[in-house]
Every structure is written in structure tokens, then in C-alpha cells.
Amino acid sequence: MKNNEDCKDPSGVNRRDFVKLSGMVAALPLIGFKFAHAGGKISVASQEFPSSPENIVPTCSSFDCGGKCDIRAHVQEGVVTRISTRPDADLDPEMPIMRACVRGRSYRKFVYHPDRLKYPMKRVGKRGEGKFERISWDEATTLIADNLKRITEKYGPESRYVHVGTAVSGSPFSGDTMVRRLLNQTGGYLNTYHSVSMGNTAAATPYTYGAAASGNTLDTLADTPLVILWGHNPNETIFGHTNHYFQKMKQNGTRFIVVDPRYSDTAASLADQWIPLLPSTDNALMDAMMYVIITENLHDKAFVERYTLGFDERSMPEGVPANESLVAYLTGAKDGVKKTPEWAEKITHVPAQTIRQLARDYATTKPAALIQGWGPQRHNCGERTARGSTLLATITGNVGVKGGWAGGYGGDSSRKFTAGVEMPDNPVSKKISVMNWVQAADDASKITPADGLTGGDKLDSNIRILFSLAGNYLANQNPDIHQAVKVLEDDSKIEFIVASDLFLTPSAKYADLLLPETSFMERWNIGESWGTGNYLILSEKLIEPQFESRTDYDWIREVAGKLGVEKEFSLGRTEKDWIVSIWEKTRESMPEEKLPTFDELLITRRYLFKDKPHIAFEANIRDPQNNPFPTPSGKIEIFSKRLYDMQHPEIPALSHYVPAHEGPEDELSARFPLQLITWKGKNRANSTQYANPWLKEVLEQKLWINPADAMQRGIAQGDSVRIHNDRGVTLIPAEVTQRIMPGVVALQAGAWWQPDENGVDRGGCANVLSSARITALAKGNSHQTMLVEVVKA
């Protein structure tokens, strides 16, 4: 049989020539070609292939991805023909810039996708139908200006809202930032607080340490003998440079234990031991670990005695009744229940002997780092879980020491980022949690301080005009999509919605005005790393915008002109001028760094900070007399009097296990016996790049289900299954695998919602099933806590 490369089709064109020509065409998506077939040969009828020299430009994206990997755009005659990445030889060991991951290598297909939005359009059908007609940019910006004037005059500035948009949050200059600047200059807007990513743990951690940032730089873990990754999956989330350091530590002999209901790629790559537990039962496992550590006398007595409050009855604050300390709780002095491994096994499904082994390993290995990811805190018990990790770190003496980890939020306060856009003060002082926006659009009078309102007792208006720029949260990432779209569909509530994006996302379908945004390759910016990165990369405009797409700044500036504030808004700056200004302000704010000038940055393309290793709370531990913890007591507060005074059953002063709503002990589990969790996949950042066909090939959207649960339901590998609860239904193929524990199923997060005529999702979007319940302390999201049933479709 002939080699497939030499097989010819009936036209006489062999496969090798066809593949070669197809590759050239794919590399030039902006150029229109006409192909003629004559005598068995293919000729280009209307356009020659470019023959100019190739320019290779180091750059990065502005997506909500902490890696800020170094991608190399190969530009030829105004077209990005391919993407490569930093050569291995170009590595600074003190701050390794990431090489491109699979997402980074696929950017060209994302930028040159044929389905990109091309023209400004206004809605002509019902909200959500996705029916639009083309209009001019002048008409578009006039519509925005006129509606801003009308709605502000009628309802006041509290009626104006800018929704979270994560597709550009990896940079200091973005459309959502600039529209906020414009709104502040014309009366203000209803602002929000809380991070959907990690807001619960950031709010809870200060009740232990007095500060949110409790993480170290990862170079301090180089010699750590034991790392426990608790719900942390950096291999797939591409969480900054974490995996670089972890792989290096693995090679040097560090032992990794992964605690996660799902055997993630991180577990497959790093774990010496995988410990699956039922979602939302983390605190029960933590309680039992602390019981073992304390009853077996493995805790760091000197550390506890010197630095903590609330460990035992002798160290409790005044005004608190007996048996509220950690020791009293664990030994059952108050409720009569000892928090033994056997007690926790029934709740968590982790064997008691495994719990003992984990507790002993953590307590006797010096130092050890228990690092918690952001997934566990996205449950309605997430605040308790976050504080639970701080208690474990405290009683083992792993706070403020090299090689240890304080638990909790895990952010690093030593990070340096660019200066931002000059932002005028917002005349509106009231704020809502980002989780309150649906209620604020439906009936704002029901949002009170108890629900998370700050800066006032009540709102004076519903949300009446909404901007969603580079965001797919409205009708895709929002918990309980059906609840959200019911409000969105009613245009008597939110009267005008502006969406700016690259694609007609599920959220963009609910716009009244739909605008074609530019990709990061078509505008100027500066890439900021987060997580464990510590550098800045220039993100240069590489190509001209396609069709009639415009940067958000460009059209917002035009709106400002029609509102009579263009001069104050733009300061006479072009987009590039703003980037230059931001860079120069960054240089001025840190003279010790000696950052290059912007002209020098155009040559160097990046700046690496040479910081010293950072250990959270090191000064507080080294010299507590002169550096007390910023808590009311000046100590690490195992018991928080501030939380105790709230007298809220879901916010215990001593973080411990409380059965979660829609957890495995909820009565609802009789109807919906499976716990559904989601994970961030390696082929997209949230829902960004979902439309990229190359990345769809990387990972197919399937429901992970354990063979025991599948057998009980008559489900085989690849079967279409119906996942449902009282909030919604989605249909998706089944992946029957031992990589998810019994009683739990998992879907990759960020799939686009694709409802059929009956409202049944056909895209595997978990947010039709997730809950909009807010957490008790942070008023944050808890969309990981959901009970479902799965049946063969």
C-alpha cells in the first residue's frame, strides 16, 4: 500500500501538496484567495503569498491567566503566520518566564477565527434570541451616550453597572477600567466587591492572621520535604509558575500529597499519594487531623504558647464561656463528640487510618507546606475551609518559617504590579457583592447590609444600564443561569445592555448593542503575571484590527465626546500613550528597581524583578514584640472573638466542620445523591477560547463519573447522560473513570451554555446546575456546592 502522503485525489493533487498549501492558507487568514484548478495543478488567482522577511515579536496575552507566558508572534506582511515560544536557552533561573502552554500556542486560531464579530450591531429580536442588525459606529456610540443621559437623569448614577470581565484582567489597561473612568467623570456608578476566584478565602484569612495575603514565594519551598496540595491543580489551571517550581522540587525529592475528589493532572504528575474526599467535608478531615496531632502530642507547643489565642481554655479571650477553645471542641467537651478519624471517615469517606497517617506526616515533617487551592473555597462552606488550613499550619508551627506555608488565601503581598489608569473618585459610595447583581437588577430594594450592601442602608435604584466588556459572566459563568436570564430577558428591568467581545458568546446574545472588540494582538498593553510570577511583559499591537472592530478605549472615547467630557476622559492620549504613561508611572513608583524607559522596553520586551524570597509573617514570628500580628489580640487567632460576636452558625469563631447546604448530609441528597464539582481545564481560561477549534480537540467536554456510580445507573463509556437538579438540565457524554471518587461527578468549567428549544443545555455548562446562594461571611459565590442526579439519556 502506498504511503498516504503520496495518495492523490481525483483532481490529481497529492496530499503532500494539499497539506502544504492548506497550511500556507491557514497562515494567512486575512488575505482573500481564489483558487483555480487547471490541468491537475492549483494556482493562486488573486494574491501572491507574502515574500517579505518574517518579524518575530515576543508578546503575551491580556487574558485572566496568571502565566503571562512568553509567546513569539511570527508576523509577515501584517499577518501573524504562526506562534512559537521562548527557547529553553533563554531562561533566567531567578524568575523563569513561562513557555507557551497549549492555550498560548493556539492564540492565532483564536484571533483569526471566522466567527469573530465584525461590525457593531443592535438587537432586533427579543433579548437572548441573538438577532441583530448591522449599524454604524456613529450610531452605536450615539445610542450609548443617549441611553446614559436618559437613564442617569431618570434613575440616578446607582442605576449604572459594569459587570466583571475577565478576558482582559491580566493587564492594567482594559475596556471595563476605562468605562468606569468615564462613569466616574459623569456621576458615578454602582460598584462591586468580592473576587469570584478567591474572595471567600481572602475574606476569611484575616480573622486568623489579621491580613489576607498569607503565601510565600515558591522559591522558599525548594528544600521542603513535604507539600500537601489541598484542592490545588496548577498543572491544568496553568497557575502562574507554580508547576515549574513544583516539578523542580519533585526532582529534588519533595514528597507531594494531593487531597482532591478528582485525580487531576496535577495528582498524576506530582502526587506520591492521592487522598479523595467528599466535597464540602474538608473541615471534617482537618478537624480529625488536628485531633490526632493534639492527642498524640505532635503539635508545636512552644509555637502555640507564644503566638496564638484560643488553643485551649487557658488562652481564650475574656467574655467567652467555657469549652469554646480548639482543644475543647476537638475532644468533645461541649458537644460530647470526639473529632476522631473514625468520626471523620463517615463524613469524608477518607479511611480513618489514612487520616492518621496524613496528620502524622504533616505534624512530624519539618517544615511542611499545606497549600490550598481556590476550588475548596468556592463552596458555601469555603470560608470555614480556608480558616481550617490556617489552624493546621498554626498548631504545627509552619507559619512564618522557610519551607512552611501559612494556609488560607495564599496570595503573596511582595508582588509588584504596574501602576494603573488614573481613576477619579466614584461619587457613589454604595457597593454590592458581585453575587448581588441579579437581585439589584430585579428588585434592588431587597438588598440590605445583611445581604452584602456596603456604604448605605438601601439602594435607590435597580440596575438600568449594564456594560459587559470582555466578559461572559451574564449568561454563562453566572451561577444559576436560568435565574439570571429570566431577569435579563425582561427589558423593562435592565433597559440597555452593552456587550463588547470577540464572539457572540451566550452572554453577548443578551445585549441590546453588540460591539466587535479587538484581540490582544490588535492593541497595546502590558502583561502582568500573578500567582508566583514576578515580571512584566510588553503586549504590543502586532496587526491592524480586522473588519470594523475597534478597541474599547476607542469607542468609549467617542462616547465621552458625545457626553461633552472627551478632554477630561482621554487627557489627549492615544491607547499607546496610556500604556507609555502607565509604564512611566510604574518606573516612578519604584525607583529602586531602575526599570527601563518605555523606548528601552520596546527592545527588551520585559522586565524581571529580582526580589528576595518572601515568607508571609516572617517578621511577626521572628520579633512578635515589635511586629505583632494585625489582629485585635496581636496574635494568631485560632479563636476569633470578632466572629464569635457575630453569633452566626455558619461562621464559627473556631473554624470547624458544619454540614454544608447541598452537601452530602443535606436531606436533598435523597433526591440528588451525587455531588457535582467543576475544574478549570488546560484548554481555556474560564470560558475564554471555548470557540477555538484547536483547543476543543485538546479536551472534550464530558461528565466524569466513577464506574460504581455509572454501573448503578446503567451508564457505559461515551453514553449521553442527563445531569439534572431543580435548577436545570444538561446533556453530555459520560467519561467513566476511576479518576473521580464514588458519589462525586465532575464537569470542566467554562463550557458555553447551549439551550435547545426546551431549555435543556446541550453544551455541558455546569452553571445551569449551580446555586446562586451567597456565603455567610464574604457574601461570595458558592457555585461549587451542588447536588445532582445523573441518568442515561
Side-chain angles (χ1 to χ4, degrees), residues 675-696:
Q675 290 182 273
L676 173 63
I677 60 171
T678 64
W679 80 92
K680 305 276 187 175
K682 57 197 167 198
N683 61 335
R684 54 182 180 259
N686 296 317
S687 70
T688 305
Q689 293 223 66
Y690 176 82
N692 191 325
W694 290 350
L695 292 179
K696 285 185 177 180

Side-chain angles (χ1 to χ4, degrees), residues 437-717:
W437 78 269
V438 174
Q439 183 64 66
D442 187 31
D443 186 354
S445 67
K446 293 182 178 179
I447 300 179
T448 67
D451 304 305
L453 176 65
T454 65
D457 296 327
K458 66 181 183 67
L459 293 173
D460 295 326
S461 172
N462 287 8
I463 294 172
R464 296 292 182 175
I465 183 168
L466 183 149
F467 292 86
S468 176
L469 311 184
N472 190 19
Y473 199 93
L474 296 184
N476 204 81
Q477 302 304 96
N478 196 84
D480 196 343
I481 287 177
H482 292 294
Q483 178 196 62
V485 300
K486 184 179 179 181
V487 174
L488 290 171
E489 287 170 350
D490 186 350
D491 55 15
S492 70
K493 295 186 182 296
I494 306 178
E495 297 180 10
F496 194 64
I497 298 175
V498 179
S500 172
D501 213 313
L502 267 68
F503 297 92
L504 185 61
T505 65
S507 296
K509 289 181 179 179
Y510 287 85
D512 297 297
L513 184 64
L514 185 56
L515 307 177
E517 167 64 309
T518 52
S519 72
F520 71 91
M521 291 185 181
E522 298 157 328
R523 57 179 179 248
W524 287 89
N525 225 316
I526 300 169
E528 300 178 312
S529 60
W530 47 261
T532 52
N534 201 11
Y535 58 83
L536 302 168
I537 294 185
L538 180 66
S539 184
E540 180 180 341
K541 180 180 177 180
L542 302 172
I543 56 177
E544 290 301 316
Q546 300 182 54
F547 300 95
E548 290 186 15
S549 61
R550 292 169 68 179
T551 66
D552 284 333
Y553 173 63
D554 194 26
W555 63 259
I556 295 170
R557 185 176 184 178
E558 191 170 306
V559 172
K562 292 178 178 180
L563 293 175
V565 294
E566 193 280 332
K567 184 177 180 180
E568 304 94 302
F569 170 75
S570 73
L571 301 179
R573 296 172 183 169
T574 64
E575 179 184 75
K576 184 179 178 182
D577 291 338
W578 276 100
I579 303 306
V580 174
S581 173
I582 289 169
W583 183 261
E584 292 304 322
K585 284 193 300 179
T586 304
R587 291 181 69 231
E588 294 170 7
S589 68
M590 48 184 78
E592 72 283 356
E593 286 289 346
K594 296 182 172 54
L595 270 69
T597 65
F598 189 81
D599 287 340
E600 292 169 338
L601 181 65
L602 288 170
I603 299 171
T604 63
R605 316 299 304 179
R606 65 194 187 195
Y607 181 78
L608 279 63
F609 294 100
K610 302 292 185 180
D611 279 356
K612 295 179 181 179
H614 171 76
I615 299 170
F617 311 122
E618 183 179 30
N620 309 91
I621 297 304
R622 184 181 62 249
D623 185 5
Q625 195 70 29
N626 293 310
N627 299 284
F629 280 86
T631 58
S633 65
K635 294 187 174 186
I636 300 173
E637 297 194 347
I638 293 173
F639 178 96
S640 170
K641 182 67 161 54
R642 289 176 291 172
L643 295 181
Y644 179 80
D645 289 341
M646 293 181 189
Q647 290 295 302
H648 195 299
E650 293 184 41
I651 316 173
L654 178 79
S655 190
H656 61 72
Y657 177 67
V658 178
H661 303 282
E662 291 203 46
E665 296 187 58
D666 194 315
E667 292 181 358
L668 193 63
S669 63
R671 293 175 54 213
F672 302 112
L674 296 172
Q675 290 182 273
L676 173 63
I677 60 171
T678 64
W679 80 92
K680 305 276 187 175
K682 57 197 167 198
N683 61 335
R684 54 182 180 259
N686 296 317
S687 70
T688 305
Q689 293 223 66
Y690 176 82
N692 191 325
W694 290 350
L695 292 179
K696 285 185 177 180
E697 294 180 18
V698 170
L699 200 61
E700 185 180 353
Q701 190 76 1
K702 293 182 178 181
L703 178 78
W704 283 28
I705 184 169
N706 185 272
D709 294 321
M711 182 180 296
Q712 183 181 346
R713 292 162 175 79
I715 295 168
Q717 173 69 18

Side-chain angles (χ1 to χ4, degrees), residues 341-356:
E342 287 73 19
W343 164 83
E345 178 178 353
K346 297 175 183 177
I347 298 169
T348 65
H349 290 193
V350 180
Q353 192 51 42
T354 300
I355 298 174
R356 286 193 173 85

Side-chain angles (χ1 to χ4, degrees), residues 193-194 196 200 377-384 432-439 446-453 473 478-480 483 648 650-651 661-662 770-785:
Y193 64 90
H194 189 75
V196 176
N200 291 324
Q377 61 90 55
R378 293 184 185 128
H379 287 274
N380 59 50
C381 57
E383 298 143 344
R384 300 191 293 275
I432 59 172
S433 165
V434 71
M435 296 301 298
N436 293 140
W437 78 269
V438 174
Q439 183 64 66
K446 293 182 178 179
I447 300 179
T448 67
D451 304 305
L453 176 65
Y473 199 93
N478 196 84
D480 196 343
Q483 178 196 62
H648 195 299
E650 293 184 41
I651 316 173
H661 303 282
E662 291 203 46
S770 58
S771 168
R773 176 186 289 271
I774 61 174
T775 60
L777 180 63
K779 312 304 178 187
N781 51 309
S782 62
H783 61 272
Q784 283 281 6
T785 313

Side-chain angles (χ1 to χ4, degrees), residues 357-370:
Q357 166 254 310
L358 178 62
R360 291 165 181 164
D361 285 355
Y362 181 53
T364 60
T365 307
K366 301 293 186 179
L370 191 161

